Amino acid sequence: MLSQLRSALVDAVGVDGVLDEPSALRSYECDGLTGYRVTPAYVVLPRTAAAVAAAVTACARHGVPFVARGAGTGLSGGALPVADGVVISLQRLRRIVEIDPVNRRAVVEPGVTNLDITKAVAPHGLYFAPDPSSQQVCTIGGNVAENSGGAHCLKYGFTVHHVHSVDVVLPDGTPTTLGGESELAEGPDLLGAFIGSEGTLGVVTSVTVKLLPRPAAVQTLVADFDSVEAAGATVTAIIGAGIVPAAVEMMDTLAIEAVEAAVEAGYTKGVAAALIVELDGPAEEVATQLAEVETLCRDHGTTAVTRTADPAERARIWKGRKAAFAAVGRISPNYFVQDGVVPRTRLTEALTRIGELADEAGLRVANVFHAGDGNLHPLVLYNEAAGEHDRAEHLSSSIAELCVDLGGSLSGEHGIGTDKACSMTRQYGQDDLDTMKRLRAAYDPAGVCNPGKLFPTPRLCGERPGPYHPHPLESAGLIERM
Amino acid sequence: MTALASPSEAGLRVLLPTTAGEVRDALLDTAGSRPRIGVRGTGTADAWATPAGPVDVEVDAEVATTELRGVLRYNPADMTMAVRAGTPLAEVQEEVGRHGQRVAFDPARAALGATVGGLLATADGGPARHAQGTLRDLVIGVTVVLGDGTVARSGGHVIKNVAGYDLAKLFSGSFGTLGVVAEVVLRLHPLPRASATVAVPVEPAQAHDVGDRIVGAGLEPSALELCDDRLLVRFDGTPEGVARRAKAVAAAVERPVQEAADTDWATVAATALGEPGDTVLRLGTLPSAGPGTLAALPTAGLDTALSSTVMSGVHTLRLRGGSPAAHAEVLRAAHAAVGPACTVLRRDGLPADAPAWGPPPRSVAVLRAVKQRFDPTGRFPAARLAPWLDPEGVRA
């Protein structure tokens, strides 16, 4: 059976495109959620959309499950292979097919990295707005699968707001296109429902992305606070004043300590919280609103406000913020990265409860988050060698579920994948999940496309995630996980 | 669909649920006796995409959402609001406006009392589409009721949320064929402190180039709408900021710029609504191809009005006067030019047999599969999208 599949895969992608040596397969056994590992039967590396379709067709005919994979930076195990299944790596589909500066869009293959899109269109004064912090390595195909956001999605939205259309190979091998040339709907918004479906509805072979002109001005400030409550209240005040910053980020004492130990970005050590507020747009309005933000920070008792003086200083502040996850490795041997969302007005309450949960567990939690949209990234610090793993894992899950209990969500951007599939019943009822499964069944009645993700299954929910290990680029402060 | 337009005459049973639970009960109660259900809000899109010819799909009862209304949850500081789907958008705007907020969405039908659910199901949009998209971009949660009484929720009350499939997107543009939208959670934006609109006189053929210069200059207009031969450019922001940006338009476009008035925006809305006797079509094109596509339509001899969300490639064309055959000729040409990206918003001027839809999108097989899974017993006859979803059921 498997040998027949192998020959069909060779026909589909060529003999140099099929990997089945154990050593080669090992590179694909996990994504950024390294605690889960499964070795696939084959990895295929198609070079064209037609080869992707042929590979999917081969899998469908043999009833073998397949998992599409970009750069493998996902943090929820969405690209975890299926045992005896096939991984379809899209790393060889990395052409920028067309740049259309007049219509501000580009056609790119799924293996193109997020940042390479922006680099390619920069000569036209354009950029691709979603900026997940792994943007140097993560691929646009993965961004579509996860509906990636980033630090600037408060103002600019997520991947779903920046894609015109995608070419997709459906789970039976049929190619189709979702979306159109204009922004006029053509019946139900299949494209919108596809983006963020975590690779469970088909394999993307081409993405037509929307591009934006660079904003005329960008200004960034960092404000220190002696309490997390004051920083949180400041965020609410900024938003309440009718200001829509491009980004509002917050880091707490522990996170700042880690960042400074790692990259010396210039944050004030020892303060309870630092807010990073970035405004962009027409120069005068940015200047006016920056002054207002500064006033609001002072009204809420900031202990120091620093406006970044130049792009280099701005880059340093962001480098620190982006290195935060990996930097936590400087202050703790092991840690879990959590991703949850609460209504913004419940940020302070969420942080207080997280602190209490951490105290109860006898562990430390560092907090780095997108404060503007209530997207928390608590980092649960622990020592594997000291036998703290299970306690830390329990604490991390409790935090995600706390977010749901506070009226929020299990995930703001990392996805459900394998990691949180078992928690989905906390956020959704059985009828909700069954209805979502109708959509899945419409695309994939045989259930061969990235099975075992997103929805809870008895088999999966008996398993357990492992600790977080940073990507090497992340340790270097070049990318971050947000 | 005549039966839906005058339910009492047709002896149609009209169900008036007030909650999502009552929508479920209504669907369960009628499962045996009245299997085929229509869904209707305040009826402001009754003329949208109505099927050709006489009523081709009879329904046995109608779920009217006019009593399915009211705010379920609103915490102004979170800038999100949950409403029942039959709540008119105008009521929502009034309520959130009191707190200095808005739904950044301005379809012409809102003034006629269109409901939030109806506007989502028809994927309507107004000039704010330029910067904020349509309702699909602003809905963060939805509760739907399927034909078998299943009540399902997706999304939630937070603006950032990737847990589970986004059913709100799927129901955007679904025209009541998949189920009933019962509740909607909206993302809100601050009301701008100031707004200013200027008008740039342009030949329609140049509108995209001129719009491109304004956007390219980093002026961040909140709307950029061609209204016949003037490009309306709206700025939202601080009073000084919008004044400066409005002033900067002339330099960016190297043309004279005129004052604009609120009546200019009223003209845009009037074009989309049309008047009795008119035909109104909405077409989607690649933005730069819009002028050429529109110019090639056989509109000679007709009184036309045009409103284009230029940079989005969405064009609303009103036809008046001339013969039904002439209107049909324009529709035929539009279908030939833009394929599935054409919605009939008003068909008074068209002959009875003019089709509502052009060729289906490439993904039509997926659409049919979705319809089959969500509504396997066909409780929501595919009337509005019948030519795509149920081609065999459509009468000539």
Side-chain angles (χ1 to χ4, degrees):
Chain A
M1 180 70 178
L2 272 180
S3 69
Q4 281 178 4
L5 172 65
R6 188 181 193 284
S7 105
L9 292 173
V10 168
D11 288 347
V13 302
V15 71
D16 71 330
V18 179
L19 308 180
D20 58 0
E21 288 293 323
S23 59
L25 296 178
R26 200 160 303 136
S27 315
Y28 296 86
E29 67 186 13
C30 68
D31 62 10
L33 185 74
T34 51
Y36 286 100
R37 291 171 190 269
V38 173
T39 307
Y42 301 105
V43 173
V44 295
L45 295 153
R47 292 180 188 279
T48 64
V52 173
V56 170
T57 302
C59 292
R61 284 200 182 134
H62 289 82
V64 172
F66 56 90
V67 179
R69 179 188 170 99
T73 57
L75 286 167
S76 57
L80 182 75
V82 176
D84 298 324
V86 174
V87 168
I88 300 175
S89 166
L90 298 155
Q91 285 288 355
R92 287 180 176 173
L93 273 87
R94 51 196 326 156
R95 284 183 312 143
I96 291 175
V97 178
E98 186 193 344
I99 297 170
D100 177 356
V102 174
N103 290 295
R104 297 206 167 86
R105 60 188 68 193
V107 181
V108 301
E109 291 185 334
V112 174
T113 66
N114 173 294
L115 196 58
D116 277 347
I117 299 175
T118 285
K119 283 181 182 166
V121 302
H124 302 284
L126 301 171
Y127 77 110
F128 180 57
D131 62 339
S133 346
S134 53
Q135 66 181 152
Q136 289 209 354
V137 283
C138 70
T139 63
I140 182 66
N143 293 171
V144 168
E146 301 295 320
N147 191 18
S148 301
H152 293 81
C153 54
L154 179 60
K155 176 171 176 183
Y156 292 101
F158 320 105
T159 300
V160 73
H161 300 115
H162 298 276
V163 171
H164 287 294
S165 66
V166 293
D167 287 349
V168 173
V169 173
L170 297 173
D172 67 355
T174 314
T176 192
T177 301
L178 308 177
E181 285 192 329
S182 78
E183 290 172 25
L184 184 66
E186 301 171 5
D189 183 9
L190 295 178
L191 173 67
F194 184 91
I195 294 173
S197 61
E198 305 197 25
T200 60
L201 302 180
V203 182
V204 172
T205 56
S206 176
V207 187
T208 302
V209 297
K210 185 180 197 170
L211 305 170
L212 297 183
R214 283 278 178 200
V218 184
Q219 293 279 351
T220 309
L221 67 72
V222 178
D224 298 339
F225 291 87
D226 56 16
S227 77
V228 166
E229 289 78 5
T234 306
V235 175
T236 296
I238 292 168
I239 307 286
I243 297 168
V244 183
V248 183
E249 305 283 303
M250 199 193 294
M251 291 197 286
D252 71 1
T253 314
L254 263 183
I256 294 167
E257 181 191 333
V259 163
E260 288 304 305
V263 295
E264 293 182 19
Y267 293 99
T268 315
K269 280 189 256 185
V271 298
L275 271 190
I276 309 163
V277 183
E278 184 155 288
L279 296 158
D280 70 15
E284 299 89 346
E285 269 144 302
V286 167
T288 308
Q289 297 202 331
L290 190 74
E292 286 179 40
V293 168
E294 195 170 330
T295 303
L296 288 168
C297 290
R298 295 195 192 288
D299 290 350
H300 288 83
T302 181
T303 51
V305 181
T306 317
R307 294 189 187 195
T308 57
D310 53 43
E313 201 177 324
R314 211 184 123 236
R316 199 156 48 85
I317 287 297
W318 279 109
K319 185 183 176 187
R321 168 61 187 84
K322 291 187 177 191
F325 285 17
V328 167
R330 301 277 183 139
I331 59 168
S332 175
N334 310 94
Y335 57 103
F336 284 108
V337 176
Q338 192 43 271
D339 165 45
V341 190
V342 296
R344 194 183 43 245
T345 50
R346 304 192 79 172
L347 266 181
T348 304
E349 188 182 348
L351 292 171
T352 304
R353 287 285 298 131
I354 289 169
E356 288 166 6
L357 289 170
D359 288 346
E360 283 165 25
L363 295 167
R364 295 182 301 166
V365 174
N367 285 292
V368 178
F369 50 92
H370 310 299
D373 40 31
N375 188 189
L376 304 164
H377 290 311
L379 304 156
V380 177
L381 316 188
Y382 71 100
N383 185 350
E384 180 97 55
E388 294 174 346
H389 173 277
D390 289 4
R391 247 189 304 152
E393 187 192 17
H394 178 73
L395 173 58
S396 183
S397 299
S398 303
I399 290 172
E401 294 179 353
L402 166 70
C403 290
V404 177
D405 295 346
L406 290 174
S409 172
L410 285 172
S411 177
E413 50 192 6
H414 295 173
I416 299 302
T418 311
D419 188 28
K420 292 181 176 169
C422 300
S423 296
M424 280 290 270
T425 49
R426 188 95 176 196
Q427 185 165 347
Y428 294 111
Q430 199 54 50
D431 283 351
D432 306 333
L433 295 173
D434 286 347
T435 302
M436 292 179 191
K437 283 180 185 169
R438 295 189 194 212
L439 181 63
R440 173 154 167 76
Y443 277 85
D444 183 22
V448 290
C449 187
N450 206 12
K453 314 295 163 62
L454 209 151
F455 296 106
T457 63
R459 183 180 160 275
L460 178 73
C461 297
E463 295 172 5
R464 210 172 49 185
Y468 177 71
H469 299 288
H471 190 282
L473 279 173
E474 193 186 353
S475 305
L478 292 173
I479 64 167
E480 66 161 332
R481 319 297 192 131
M482 312 215 309
Chain B
M1 215 188 299
T2 329
L4 277 183
S6 9
S8 52
E9 286 164 37
L12 192 76
R13 182 170 170 200
V14 179
L15 305 158
L16 289 162
T18 62
T19 63
E22 288 184 13
V23 175
R24 177 197 58 214
D25 294 345
L27 289 167
L28 289 175
D29 289 349
T30 53
S33 58
R34 294 174 181 265
R36 293 168 303 176
I37 300 288
V39 188
R40 186 166 183 263
T42 43
T44 57
D46 278 350
W48 280 46
T50 40
V55 176
D56 64 341
V57 183
E58 302 263 0
V59 295
D60 307 310
E62 178 186 289
V63 171
T65 64
T66 46
E67 302 299 319
L68 183 64
R69 61 198 287 168
V71 174
L72 293 165
R73 184 162 155 185
Y74 178 34
N75 179 359
D78 281 320
M79 301 187 80
T80 63
M81 177 184 251
V83 297
R84 293 201 179 93
T87 311
L89 178 65
E91 278 186 25
V92 174
Q93 299 285 29
E94 200 183 313
E95 171 70 17
V96 303
R98 283 199 278 273
H99 297 271
Q101 298 176 4
R102 63 169 169 169
V103 183
F105 174 61
D106 56 357
R109 280 163 54 211
L112 305 183
T115 65
V116 171
L119 290 162
L120 179 67
T122 52
D124 198 357
R129 183 195 297 266
H130 169 79
Q132 302 285 358
T134 62
L135 215 43
R136 65 83 98 168
D137 300 297
L138 301 168
V139 172
I140 56 174
V142 74
T143 302
V144 298
V145 187
L146 307 186
D148 62 6
T150 300
V151 180
R153 203 166 45 85
S154 97
H157 296 264
V158 286
I159 59 176
K160 202 172 183 187
N161 182 358
V162 296
Y165 294 149
D166 189 347
L167 299 179
K169 300 285 190 300
L170 191 66
F171 276 69
S172 168
S174 65
F175 283 92
T177 55
L178 301 178
V180 182
V181 179
E183 296 172 2
V184 175
V185 190
L186 297 161
R187 176 185 184 174
L188 305 173
H189 283 82
L191 270 175
R193 294 179 203 177
S195 288
T197 301
V198 295
V200 186
V202 290
E203 289 294 313
Q206 298 164 327
H208 183 265
D209 293 344
V210 172
D212 187 58
R213 286 176 176 228
I214 295 165
V215 173
L219 296 177
E220 289 193 14
S222 58
L224 219 163
E225 188 85 10
L226 177 69
C227 181
D228 297 318
D229 52 4
R230 301 169 87 212
L231 186 63
L232 303 178
V233 190
R234 185 171 66 213
F235 298 102
D236 292 339
T238 61
E240 310 78 30
V242 298
R244 280 205 199 90
R245 283 188 279 157
K247 212 167 170 184
V249 170
V253 302
E254 298 174 320
R255 284 163 182 261
V257 167
Q258 302 171 345
E259 295 275 320
D262 288 348
T263 51
D264 288 304
W265 291 112
T267 305
V268 169
T271 299
L273 297 176
E275 287 179 10
D278 293 349
T279 297
V280 181
L281 309 177
R282 184 165 283 165
L283 288 71
T285 67
L286 196 62
S288 64
T293 302
L294 293 165
L297 296 177
T299 53
L302 300 176
D303 170 3
T304 62
L306 174 67
S307 159
S308 283
T309 308
V310 176
M311 308 312 282
S312 305
V314 176
H315 320 280
T316 305
L317 178 66
R318 191 220 69 206
L319 310 174
R320 183 172 292 168
S323 65
H327 286 219
E329 199 51 45
V330 176
L331 179 63
R332 240 191 313 277
H335 284 157
V338 301
C342 177
T343 309
V344 177
L345 308 192
R346 186 167 200 125
R347 60 175 303 136
D348 301 5
L350 287 166
D353 64 351
W357 296 99
R362 201 175 164 217
S363 56
V364 69
V366 180
L367 283 182
R368 288 174 190 160
V370 170
K371 167 72 178 167
Q372 177 59 32
R373 295 285 173 176
F374 276 72
D375 183 26
T377 60
R379 292 211 70 189
F380 304 102
R384 298 288 183 97
L385 285 168
W388 291 354
L389 294 183
D390 184 21
E392 281 150 30
V394 178
R395 291 184 199 163

